[in-house]
Each structure stands twice: as C-alpha cells, then as structure tokens.
Amino acid sequence: MVGDWTLSLFAALLCLGSGLLAALAASEFSNFTERTLKTLASLGFVCLALGGLAAVSNLGRPSMILGVFANPASRLFWEMIGVAGALLTSAAYLAALFREADQTITRVIILLSALFAFVATAALGANMVMSWRPVLSSYTLMIPFIGLYWTAASLSFLLACELEDADGAKARASSFAASAVSVIGFSAYIAGLLVNPDTSEAGQQLVTGVLSLQFWIGCVFCGILLPLAAALLRKARKLFASVGLIGVFIASFLWQSIIFDIGRAAWHFFNP
C-alpha cells in the first residue's frame, strides 16, 4: 500500500463536510434562520467538493473513475456514490433555500444529503479494512472515522447554536458521546494489534514508536481533547468551536496517514 497525501486530504475533508451536513440537518429541524442554514450548507458543499477533487486526482485516469462506478460490489463504489449524492443533494438544498421552497422539501433534501454523506464516511473506513493484511484486518479501524465525523457534526451544530444564540446543551452532550466513540475505536484497534503476536510490534509503533507523535498529538489531542475543550468552554464559543473543527480535520488527515503507514510492508515499516 502506498499512502498519498491527497487521499488523507480527502478523508479529512469528507469527515468535516459530512459532519457539517449532519449538523445542517439538525439545524433545519431546529428552525434556525436561513443565514445559518446557508452558511452550513455552503461550507459542507465546499468541503465535499474539494475532497472529491482530491480523490479524483488520486485515481488519475478517467477510465479508473468509470471503473469504480462500474463495480457496485466494491466499497470504493459506495464511497464515491456517497460523495456524489451528498454533493448533488446539498447543491439542491442550497437552490431550494434561495428559491424559498417549502420547509418540507428542504428537510427531505437535507436528510438525503446527510445520509449520503454518512454512507461515504462509513465506506471510507470500511475501504481501509483488508483481510489479507494482519494490521488492517479489523473493522475497529473504521470506528475512529465515525467518531471524528460525529465530533465534527457536534461542533458544527454547537457553532450553529452560537450563531442563533440558542442553547447548545445538546451539542455539548453529543460532543461527549462522539469523543467516547473515538476513544473506543482507537483503543479497540490498538488493543487488537497488541494482543496478536503477528501485529504487536505495529501496535507498539503507534503507542511509543515512530508513529506515536502523530497518534497522540494528531489523533488523540487534536481529535478528542481539543474538541472536548471547545465544547466545554463558556467564553468565545464560536472561536473555540472553529478551532475544534480544525482539530477534527487534522486528526482525520493523520489517522488516514497512519493507516497508510501501518499498512506498509513489515520489512519497510519496522526498519529503524
């Protein structure tokens, strides 16, 4: 497996953009103002569009892109379908807002958009699972992607609450739950590596070895502790919620990069 920064960028933008669309769905059902809804929808669309460009640039030849859509049995197919569907429906949602469409229509569209985005995020994590590679054979490695997506959704909704001067208690509670999912995912994956003699060295590289700085600072601090602090702080919540979202972006990027690194051939990865 050869890691590529464009795929890590795609993962980071997908988690962030999907979280924004999930928060947008919650905001739509909270009867927030059009200004807030348009802001979230625009940010979500831009994140997914940039992420889609990064993914397409990695695939390269048009024949490879068409090949993905011709193979519905692959997880990559659902990843691309999810991104394409989320982009189309979020664009339709923005158009409906500007045309002042009935709220029933906008709610249906944004629920579809959030669903497509979640499918893409889940497929992203599942696509990294490879049964023929011992270090990548566990589905626990996809749980952190779900946790980071959920964290992005919680902080985005908290930011929307601040823009609306609304109570953000539910968003803060959601942040705790999202962080718990990330902790469970990281812990389960590393524990699975450590208890298996064939993969224990890889687990040690994550905890104390060459990948530990990326993991503890990039994933744990930026992806869990920083967003939790942003949700808890009482002052400057807009600023700290934005900082927390940047932390989620960094954590998603680095978790994807770590998966690429840890999946390399053992003789390359474990060399000093």
Side-chain angles (χ1 to χ4, degrees):
M1 177 186 292
V2 179
D4 192 310
W5 70 269
T6 57
L7 291 180
S8 296
L9 180 62
F10 165 65
L13 288 168
L14 177 57
C15 287
L16 188 58
S18 298
L20 281 162
L21 292 184
L24 177 57
S27 299
E28 174 72 48
F29 281 86
S30 300
N31 294 314
F32 287 171
T33 61
E34 280 196 10
R35 183 192 65 175
T36 297
L37 298 178
K38 288 176 181 177
T39 299
L40 290 177
S42 299
L43 289 173
F45 178 85
V46 168
C47 285
L48 290 175
L50 292 176
L53 286 175
V56 168
S57 69
N58 185 271
L59 286 172
R61 300 188 304 275
S63 59
M64 292 186 68
I65 299 171
L66 294 175
V68 170
F69 286 105
N71 186 17
S74 73
R75 296 161 185 165
L76 188 57
F77 169 85
W78 292 104
E79 198 175 311
M80 299 297 284
I81 285 293
V83 172
L87 278 172
L88 289 173
T89 49
S90 59
Y93 176 80
L94 274 170
L97 283 183
F98 280 104
R99 291 175 63 87
E100 298 182 352
D102 185 82
Q103 192 176 54
T104 302
I105 295 175
T106 57
R107 285 182 173 180
V108 170
I109 294 174
I110 195 53
L111 283 175
L112 281 173
S113 189
L115 178 60
F116 273 119
F118 177 76
V119 167
T121 305
L124 167 69
N127 196 42
M128 294 295 102
V129 181
M130 303 178 188
S131 58
W132 61 94
R133 293 179 180 270
V135 294
L136 299 179
S137 62
S138 173
Y139 277 93
T140 55
L141 67 81
M142 69 180 288
I143 299 176
F145 285 114
I146 303 300
L148 291 167
Y149 147 80
W150 191 351
T151 300
S154 302
L155 289 178
S156 298
F157 187 59
L158 179 62
L159 187 58
C161 289
E162 290 301 306
L163 291 173
E164 293 288 319
D165 197 24
D167 182 22
K170 291 182 180 179
R172 289 191 289 275
S174 181
S175 293
F176 277 101
S179 296
V181 171
S182 294
V183 169
I184 291 170
F186 288 133
S187 301
Y189 178 65
I190 293 174
L193 293 179
L194 292 174
V195 299
N196 187 341
D198 294 332
T199 60
S200 60
E201 191 171 353
Q204 291 169 9
Q205 297 299 322
L206 268 175
V207 177
T208 59
V210 294
L211 294 176
S212 59
L213 193 63
Q214 288 175 259
F215 176 70
W216 290 110
I217 296 179
C219 296
V220 176
F221 176 77
C222 291
I224 298 174
L225 299 179
L226 192 61
L228 267 180
L232 285 173
L233 290 171
R234 296 288 179 180
K235 295 182 179 180
R237 281 181 179 161
K238 293 178 187 176
L239 172 62
F240 287 113
S242 300
V243 171
L245 287 171
I246 293 172
V248 171
F249 177 88
I250 293 171
S252 304
F253 183 96
L254 290 178
W255 181 238
Q256 179 80 353
S257 298
I258 285 172
I259 290 174
F260 282 137
D261 288 338
I262 210 169
R264 294 180 193 276
W267 58 83
H268 173 80
F269 179 74
F270 296 124
N271 278 342

